[in-house]
Amino acid sequence: MALPDRRAPPVLLVHGGAWSIPGAELEAHEVGVKKALAAGFALLNQGASALDAVEAAVAALEDDEAFDAGRGSFLNRDGRVQLDALLMDGASLRAGGVGCVERLKNPIHAARLVMEKSPHVYLVGAGAEEFAKEHGMAWIKNSVLVIDRERRRLKEAQRANGGRKPDGSRHAGNLRLHNAKSHPAKSHKAKSLETKSHEIRFHDAKFHDTVGAVALDAAGNLAAATSTGGTLNKIPGRVGDSSLIGCGCYADNQSAAASLTGWGEPIMRLVLGKWACDRVQQLHPPEEAAEEAMGYLHARLQGHGGIILLDRAGRFGLAHNTPYMPWGISDQRGIRTGTKI
Ligand code: ASP
């Protein structure tokens, strides 16, 4: 059932990734969230669209090295930054995404170009970079996106993993997962091994600070955007949930706008962004639906992450099942921020 068309004053929500942030980095995350709110909400106040607001907020977060998006992102197994981003317009259901781009400072701007200037929804790798260049975006060297903190993190992750297991996964764990899937009559033993391999993957991969935003504009339209450098030590070419429609990002005026963060593979398998928006359409308040989404993620796949969710009435929900998720809200009541809910 479609939600009633109730106009509400503009609202902007942002997040800076769900994970276990070291104490020394908490303040930088909260400062970054505030800057992103300022950039996006100024536009909403001037009557700009929700789409413009989420793009501006996410671009500000991409520019901030504290987060896993743009410069300062986690490095892949080869020591390179590979970026994914998506935005979606709840009024038209149009969306634009890019995956595995290495030469663009702000992949969220490239995603907007894909949406506005191409007949497609998603471009990846060199094709996405060429397309962005054709439409005026400058290329940068990948090394511009790489910072020392991330070189150190990659070294530590590879040392801890014997240098051969991307994404914190144990090779044997992956094989079990694959086998379990291809045998419908899997034993209880196989199931418990599968669970264990998931747990190992989460705890080894402590770092998740993808960025995202959802907004409601004065015209009553919703939009969502998510941008990420993905997961630490990932296999080159890996795309996570963040830039996939309905997984890490979704917006539909008839339900809600969502941006997610966390361990991407379980989020993708559950198409969790769309799942959460559907709950809102089924008349669960966003506050409740956000909690339910995290509960579902953990109950089904032992997944960990966070979500921001907003409906057309300006009601919102924030939830995470990780130690922290930097968040911020800007609306008629002012600005509120925090590092956990
Ligand atoms: N969801 C992202 C991914 O799996 C990571 C994150 O949220 O930080 O690529």
Side-chain angles (χ1 to χ4, degrees), residues 176-177 180 185-198 299-302:
R176 282 183 204 122
L177 258 181
K186 67 183 176 188
S187 67
H188 287 303
K189 192 167 174 228
K191 193 157 186 274
S192 81
L193 288 172
E194 177 181 325
T195 302
K196 204 163 166 220
S197 82
H198 279 134
R300 286 300 305 273
L301 294 174
Q302 297 81 50

Side-chain angles (χ1 to χ4, degrees), residues 15 17-19 68 74 84 207-211 228-231 234 238-242 260-265 267-268:
H15 72 75
W19 62 302
D68 175 29
F74 300 136
D84 310 327
F207 311 111
H208 294 272
D209 52 352
T210 288
V211 304
T228 190
T231 47
K234 67 187 178 182
R238 178 259 188 194
V239 173
D241 63 301
S242 309
L260 288 89
T261 166
W263 176 28
E265 278 72 9
I267 294 172
M268 286 155 77

Side-chain angles (χ1 to χ4, degrees), residues 238-275:
R238 178 259 188 194
V239 173
D241 63 301
S242 309
S243 65
L244 300 183
I245 290 187
C247 300
C249 184
Y250 196 71
D252 181 354
N253 276 4
Q254 293 195 6
S255 57
S259 175
L260 288 89
T261 166
W263 176 28
E265 278 72 9
I267 294 172
M268 286 155 77
R269 291 193 203 131
L270 295 172
V271 196
L272 195 60
K274 175 75 163 65
W275 186 95

Side-chain angles (χ1 to χ4, degrees), residues 69-93:
R71 181 173 153 84
S73 285
F74 300 136
L75 304 182
N76 70 13
R77 188 181 60 188
D78 295 348
R80 295 176 73 78
V81 166
Q82 270 192 342
L83 304 169
D84 310 327
L86 179 88
L87 46 71
M88 184 157 182
D89 174 30
S92 61
L93 297 186

Side-chain angles (χ1 to χ4, degrees), residues 284-297:
H284 294 237
E287 197 182 344
E288 212 174 282
E291 289 286 347
E292 287 168 349
M294 289 303 104
Y296 181 57
L297 174 65

